[in-house]
Amino acid sequence: MIRRSILLGTGSALPVRAVSNAELAQTVDTSDEWIVERTGIRNRHIAGDGETTATLATQAAQEALAAAGLAAQDIDLIILATATPDQTFPAAATKVQAALGIDDCVAFDVAAVCSGFLYALTVADSMIRSGAAQRALVIGSETFSRILDWDDRATCVLFGDGAGAVVLGAQESEDGQRGILAAKLHADGRHNQLLYVDGGPSTTQTVGKLRMKGQEVFRHAVVNLASVLREVMELAKLTPADIDWLVPHQANARILDATARKLKLSPDRVVVTVDRHANTSAASVPLALDVAMRDGRIKPGDLVVLEAMGGGFTWGACVLRV
Ligand SMILES: CC(C)(COP(=O)(O)OP(=O)(O)OC[C@H]1O[C@@H](n2cnc3c(N)ncnc32)[C@H](O)[C@@H]1OP(=O)(O)O)[C@@H](O)C(=O)NCCC(=O)NCCS
């Protein structure tokens, strides 16, 4: 028998306030035309008073549990991917655990920035396959609006807030054809200075602001994503022609197009939400997955490939049969 992590449900949450490019252009020296042409972004959500990484994560988790038909107490593992936790410690995952009313389970955060959800999913999958967990909540949740330099037009227009969650459950079968079939992660810490936050508890004792060399990040992203996608498809013994849906990290429409082209994947097989959510970092992949599950594009039996790349650099990909 083969033990795999099966996708049981998805959920997502967005802050109430939506901010269009036109609204942003009232306070930032930019234009709707520039943002759409360079990034494909038209809209983003910005967290307001009382909306935090943990509250958004909790909402997304509740939706995912409802979709899975499970109660919070059925969960024995929560992994929350975030670079913008409510507090330096404890982990935001423990706030979600308390908000969901779970008395005891394993709960921790993963910090891999935009690849955080792929990292969290891979760790949860390993724990499920090893028998250390049975049912896991894997969440990506971010409030990047709180670490943006709103005077830096080259970065502040690119990001938004939100959360996405999935419930994974252990399942044994003869053929092992469903669930997470393969995952591959990478990191290359030499590129710290291309995408980072200029503060932290152990250095400046401040939270800091996001800094990025956009063009260099862009170049690395296209190369690394195409390469890890090939790797993970090989691990799963599949080819890009087998992919029903690519659910990529939503950083920039041009990166999505370039990645799809490299894989010779038709653009109508790529789930795109960057236009409405902007880059929500660790939340972007589970948010996009939830959108495509709920609107019926992704159906049971579909082969779905997830990928992301972010600060570190970190990057990864995962092949999943829904
Ligand atoms: C950020 C990004 C959109 C910038 O696009 P670009 O084509 O590289 O643009 P540049 O940085 O070269 O800037 C071009 C010009 O636009 C200007 N500009 C930058 N931001 C602007 C904005 N929001 N509005 C209007 N003009 C802007 C620059 O000042 C520059 O002007 P100049 O030529 O007079 O100096 C692009 O590099 C990118 O998407 N990079 C990847 C970033 C990313 O996805 N990171 C997250 C990965 S997890």
Side-chain angles (χ1 to χ4, degrees):
M1 293 294 262
I2 302 172
R3 184 177 166 100
R4 294 241 192 255
S5 312
I6 306 293
L7 183 68
L8 299 177
T10 64
S12 61
L14 291 164
V16 173
R17 185 173 165 227
V19 177
S20 67
N21 291 344
E23 185 181 343
L24 208 58
Q26 289 170 13
T27 50
V28 178
D29 180 16
T30 189
S31 66
D32 177 52
E33 199 189 1
W34 191 95
I35 301 172
V36 172
E37 193 190 309
R38 304 284 175 128
T39 71
I41 296 166
R42 295 176 185 277
N43 186 71
R44 75 282 293 137
H45 288 254
I46 302 285
D49 290 347
E51 288 176 321
T52 71
T53 291
T55 67
L56 293 167
T58 303
Q59 277 178 40
Q62 282 164 336
E63 264 201 11
L65 284 168
L70 292 175
Q73 294 293 350
D74 296 327
I75 296 298
D76 57 6
L77 169 67
I78 301 174
I79 310 183
L80 196 162
T82 190
T84 48
D86 289 26
Q87 296 158 278
T88 302
F89 82 80
T94 60
K95 290 189 87 168
V96 174
Q97 179 203 12
L100 292 175
I102 304 174
D103 301 334
D104 184 21
C105 72
V106 177
F108 60 95
D109 290 358
V110 157
V113 207
C114 297
S115 319
F117 183 75
L118 268 299
Y119 268 68
L121 198 68
T122 305
V123 174
D125 175 47
S126 306
M127 290 180 70
I128 286 174
R129 282 187 296 109
S130 76
Q134 299 299 322
R135 291 200 190 93
L137 256 174
V138 185
I139 310 167
S141 184
E142 303 277 18
T143 44
F144 260 48
S145 63
R146 296 191 172 134
I147 55 163
L148 293 175
D149 176 353
W150 290 97
D151 293 324
D152 177 12
R153 67 178 182 171
T155 56
C156 72
V157 303
L158 304 176
F159 295 89
D161 301 334
V166 303
V167 179
L168 294 180
Q171 192 180 84
E172 298 201 355
S173 68
E174 295 283 350
D175 60 6
Q177 286 300 304
R178 259 191 89 199
I180 296 180
L181 305 181
K184 184 72 192 160
L185 301 175
H186 289 278
D188 183 350
R190 290 173 298 176
H191 301 296
N192 180 298
Q193 292 301 306
L194 298 182
L195 178 51
Y196 66 104
V197 166
D198 63 3
S202 186
T203 49
T204 58
Q205 297 84 56
T206 63
V207 172
K209 299 285 183 211
L210 182 145
R211 306 290 169 207
M212 178 169 69
K213 296 203 168 67
Q215 283 190 1
E216 288 172 71
V217 174
F218 193 106
R219 275 193 286 113
H220 282 278
V222 175
V223 173
N224 290 344
L225 288 172
S227 139
V228 74
L229 283 167
R230 276 193 205 99
E231 245 181 321
V232 83
M233 292 308 290
E234 255 179 58
L235 277 176
K237 300 189 172 55
L238 295 165
T239 70
D242 297 313
I243 300 175
D244 291 305
W245 292 102
L246 179 67
V247 183
H249 172 48
Q250 308 284 323
N252 181 312
R254 290 186 298 149
I255 298 180
L256 305 191
D257 292 345
T259 309
R261 260 200 315 275
K262 280 201 169 206
L263 285 179
K264 297 195 172 57
L265 202 66
S266 157
D268 60 10
R269 301 277 91 190
V270 182
V271 176
V272 179
T273 52
V274 67
D275 52 337
R276 38 183 159 151
H277 300 155
N279 181 347
T280 57
S281 188
S284 92
V285 170
L287 251 169
L289 180 64
D290 185 52
V291 166
M293 295 283 294
R294 280 172 197 272
D295 69 20
R297 271 179 289 175
I298 299 180
K299 297 186 176 59
D302 280 355
L303 190 79
V304 177
V305 176
L306 315 175
E307 49 93 322
M309 142 105 189
F313 290 141
T314 56
W315 65 103
C318 168
V319 180
L320 165 76
R321 176 86 61 192
V322 176

